[in-house]
Amino acid sequence: MQITSAVIVREGSVVKDASVVFRSTETGSAFLNAAYEALEVLYPRFYKMDLLSKTGTIAADVLLKQRTDLEQWRPEDTGMVLSNRNASIEADVQYLEASKAYPSPALFVYTLPNIVIGEISIRYKFKGENAFFISETFDADWMHWYVADLMQRNLLKVCICGWIDVVDERPEACLFLVEQAPSATGHHFTAENLRSIYNKDYGK
Amino acid sequence: MKKVFVLSRNIVSPLGNTAKENMEALCAGKTAVTVHNDAARSPVPFCAALMDPAFFQQAPAAFTPFEALTVASMEDAIRQAEIDPSDPDTAWILSTTKGNIGQLEQQPVTRALKNEVALTVSAQKLSAHFGFVNRPVIVSHACISGTLAIITARRMLEAGKYKTVVVAGADLITRFILSGFQSFHAVSDVLCKPFDADRNGINLGEAAATVVLSTQPPAAANPIVISGGGVSNDANHISGPSRTGEELFMAIDRAMKEAGTDAAAIDFISAHGTATVYNDDMESRAINLAGLQSVPVNSLKGYYGHTLGAAGLLETVIGIESLSNQVIIPTMGFETPGTVEPIHVCSKLTKTPAHAFLKTASGFGGCNAAIVVQKTQD
């Protein structure tokens, strides 16, 4: 099992495998929209999404863009395991405020943290195991155990896992592409490697 | 592989405060679903299964209503299982869809409030209350949360991470949740009609439910085991189910393979059965793909409404009661068959030998989950 790629979306930058691929002084929604344009994400559903799903869409796009073998992955072998602290709090507050005048189904649907898994799954046809966990901080040990268990059971061969949170309009994501097949590139899939990639500081 | 036994179970709902009380109410044909006039929750009358407000008035002030409901369910299940939460080999999982969302409705939303309503805060509070020493696992995955929490516990136990895992789930129906489902035009004004030709939407409901699972077998003869589980995603639509049911079938198929059972071994199906047109049709397709179309199916939504993050747990507990009492609960609200593919909807209380059931769940975000629960044979 190998971490074949990792993407970090955090405080003004998007980083792929230790290289900064986008930098901006914008924040929140403006930062995500600028990243979407600059990185040529080309997925118009993006504009309908809440900040959590926008963050996930950008991170997953950067994670998978250069892969030429996506179509060889069987949908049932691909899945997602994500986690955060604040569930869907920003979408919750947005829906709650708007609902005083008019309860909007388009806002309500994003008031669940696993919707970002649904959005990414739709785009890439990931149909296998999926789960959303809540923890105070990124729990690399839990994430490693859960995903490794799925791969050892042969339920997944490819998994996007990691941390994705938005609070006070500040997006923060660190997504890992983990593959069962041996690979010459990337890092061994260990809790320690998840932690060190997550904790690395790429500056502002 | 280690077996995962059910040591104890609980439901706290408008129909009772123990699994036994709830099962008796269902066998007596009682429903908690009724019309409410409550301006704090909805400008128009609505049909739902709600806890008695007195329950929350009596709860300790230190707990939010969501926490109080969860604690009540966990207390009974922990007591019955005679386990020590502070044992280092014991862990717990919290399952909920919207947790403390009601707290946001009561006061101005500040950064501090956003931090306070987080599920980690509730989980830490409950951990301290019961004396758990291991960090709680929190599952928040829409309406499959409860079923996914059972699957997660099963995997933790099978891997030998812990010997015992307490799995608890709860949700409350606040204005936030009710208005959201109403905005989808998904809420029925009357008692919901799962799998019926005239079904026109869901009822929502409040409840908490808990199971204590362990690799240590209970003393009782023929203990009940969680023998398999599977999860999938439709990858089709974030708020509508699959058109084909193939993905729910995938979860069912994986659960049955893990359990080592075939269709002939399943005595009944405890379905999601929300009584929306699309969900129930999708489930009928998946049940047919699994070759389970002649197996009795029930939905408990006509008794409890849709209890969101508690639903998978609550419905599993009733399924376990069915295995213990050898009786299958009928589908309240169902009269006339009306799903796109034919299924055998259980419509009257059925005394029958039952050794195994399948529990299914599906939710927003395209998620599906299934488990197989079996009574061990002599």
Side-chain angles (χ1 to χ4, degrees):
Chain A
M1 284 179 263
Q2 193 82 351
I3 303 169
T4 50
S5 189
V7 170
I8 295 172
V9 179
R10 192 184 284 160
E11 294 190 283
S13 66
V14 178
V15 177
K16 183 183 187 197
D17 301 332
S19 304
V20 176
V21 294
F22 175 73
R23 235 186 245 285
S24 167
T25 52
E26 301 276 8
T27 58
S29 190
F31 168 74
L32 294 174
N33 289 343
Y36 173 88
E37 293 291 332
L39 295 166
E40 298 178 353
V41 175
L42 303 175
Y43 191 62
R45 269 190 69 80
F46 175 86
Y47 290 105
K48 292 185 178 179
M49 297 176 187
D50 76 324
L51 295 188
L52 196 65
S53 286
K54 281 185 173 178
T55 305
T57 297
I58 291 169
D61 184 87
V62 176
L63 200 59
L64 299 177
K65 191 166 249 164
Q66 275 136 25
R67 293 295 294 236
T68 51
D69 55 348
L70 287 184
E71 285 178 9
Q72 287 163 32
W73 294 344
R74 298 194 315 160
E76 58 269 38
D77 293 336
T78 52
M80 296 186 66
V81 183
L82 298 183
S83 62
N84 74 12
R85 180 186 185 278
N86 297 293
S88 54
I89 189 72
E90 291 300 307
D92 293 352
V93 172
Q94 203 188 7
Y95 169 76
L96 186 69
E97 292 305 318
S99 73
K100 287 169 186 167
Y102 168 70
S104 157
L107 294 178
F108 182 68
V109 72
Y110 286 102
T111 66
L112 295 163
N114 62 299
I115 295 298
V116 61
I117 291 179
E119 289 285 13
I120 295 170
S121 295
I122 290 168
R123 185 169 185 196
Y124 299 102
K125 291 285 163 229
F126 278 25
K127 292 192 171 185
E129 287 271 340
N130 52 121
F132 204 106
F133 296 104
I134 307 287
S135 56
E136 192 60 32
T137 54
F138 177 54
D139 189 341
D141 293 309
W142 171 258
M143 189 57 66
H144 173 260
W145 177 77
Y146 195 85
V147 174
D149 182 65
L150 290 174
M151 291 199 170
Q152 277 151 9
R153 290 170 183 271
N154 234 2
L155 292 173
L156 287 185
K157 291 189 168 61
V158 175
C159 184
I160 293 176
C161 67
W163 177 264
I164 181 158
D165 208 358
V166 178
V167 68
D168 289 332
E169 298 219 340
R170 281 176 52 199
E172 202 224 334
C174 180
L175 301 192
F176 305 90
L177 182 64
V178 178
E179 296 178 66
Q180 195 187 48
S183 167
T185 56
H187 301 83
H188 288 302
F189 181 47
T190 63
E192 194 42 58
N193 283 336
L194 289 177
R195 220 176 343 256
S196 71
I197 294 168
Y198 177 85
N199 285 328
K200 195 165 174 193
D201 186 357
Y202 292 95
K204 293 195 179 177
Chain B
M1 273 296 201
K2 290 187 178 77
K3 279 190 174 167
V4 174
F5 298 96
V6 179
L7 294 190
S8 71
R9 56 219 187 237
N10 167 274
I11 296 172
V12 174
S13 82
L15 293 178
N17 294 323
T18 63
K20 187 166 179 284
E21 282 175 22
N22 275 273
M23 186 63 178
E24 285 167 2
L26 265 48
C27 288
K30 290 183 187 160
T31 173
V33 176
T34 184
V35 175
H36 295 266
N37 282 288
D38 179 354
R41 286 192 249 217
S42 169
V44 294
F46 62 99
C47 198
L50 303 180
M51 292 294 294
D52 183 346
F55 174 88
F56 300 104
Q57 283 150 16
Q58 289 155 11
F63 291 132
T64 64
F66 161 67
E67 292 160 1
L69 188 58
T70 311
V71 165
S73 179
M74 289 173 75
E75 253 164 18
D76 178 53
I78 288 170
R79 186 171 50 234
Q80 281 188 60
E82 298 177 341
I83 56 158
D84 174 9
S86 69
D87 185 327
D89 282 329
T90 298
W92 79 286
I93 303 182
L94 175 64
S95 152
T96 183
T97 302
K98 291 310 301 172
N100 287 313
I101 192 71
Q103 301 303 105
L104 290 180
E105 298 170 13
Q106 314 291 327
Q107 48 203 309
V109 177
T110 60
R111 175 149 203 189
L113 182 64
K114 286 184 193 173
N115 273 323
E116 265 170 50
V117 299
L119 295 172
T120 52
V121 175
S122 290
Q124 280 157 16
K125 217 194 269 188
L126 270 54
S127 271
H129 176 78
F130 288 107
F132 287 99
V133 293
N134 291 302
R135 194 188 300 175
V137 172
I138 306 169
V139 175
S140 187
H141 203 102
C143 300
I144 71 164
S145 298
T147 311
L148 178 57
I150 293 172
I151 293 169
T152 301
R154 182 178 181 280
R155 290 174 180 161
M156 290 161 75
L157 289 163
E158 233 185 28
K161 271 177 95 73
Y162 302 99
K163 287 183 179 148
T164 301
V165 178
V166 178
V167 192
D171 264 298
L172 295 169
I173 302 307
T174 69
R175 189 174 70 80
F176 182 103
I177 293 164
L178 191 58
S179 66
F181 278 94
Q182 284 167 338
S183 77
F184 271 98
H185 302 286
V187 183
S188 171
D189 294 334
V190 292
L191 182 73
C192 68
K193 299 167 80 69
F195 303 117
D196 191 279
D198 295 326
R199 65 188 183 277
N200 70 344
I202 65 169
N203 303 139
L204 291 165
E206 301 184 321
T210 304
V211 289
V212 179
L213 305 180
S214 181
T215 47
Q216 319 276 91
N222 304 112
I224 285 161
V225 294
I226 310 292
S227 52
V231 186
S232 68
N233 196 287
D234 294 340
N236 175 57
H237 198 282
I238 51 170
S239 59
S242 161
R243 298 281 173 189
T244 63
E246 280 168 24
E247 297 80 12
L248 174 58
F249 164 59
M250 188 202 305
I252 292 171
D253 189 50
R254 286 180 171 189
M256 290 187 30
K257 283 191 175 128
E258 199 170 74
T261 53
D262 55 16
I266 301 294
D267 295 299
F268 69 97
I269 302 167
S270 173
H272 194 46
T274 57
T276 65
V277 171
Y278 293 123
N279 174 79
D280 292 6
D281 274 350
M282 184 279 284
E283 282 194 282
S284 76
R285 290 184 200 272
I287 286 167
N288 275 267
L289 288 170
L292 292 164
Q293 59 274 16
S294 58
V295 175
V297 179
N298 68 20
S299 158
L300 303 179
K301 301 297 192 286
Y303 301 93
Y304 293 107
H306 187 350
T307 55
L308 308 176
L313 280 154
L314 181 152
E315 290 157 12
T316 297
V317 170
I318 294 298
I320 293 167
E321 290 293 324
S322 283
L323 294 185
S324 301
N325 297 303
Q326 301 289 289
V327 58
I328 306 173
I329 299 296
T331 303
M332 172 77 76
F334 170 82
E335 288 169 320
T336 313
T339 48
V340 65
E341 294 290 333
I343 55 171
H344 174 191
V345 181
C346 179
S347 58
K348 56 176 186 286
L349 199 66
T350 308
K351 271 273 175 197
T352 180
H355 302 290
F357 72 93
L358 175 75
K359 167 81 208 111
T360 62
S362 300
F364 277 0
C367 49
N368 306 288
I371 57 171
V372 174
V373 183
Q374 287 175 288
K375 195 170 181 174
T376 51
Q377 311 286 316
D378 288 322

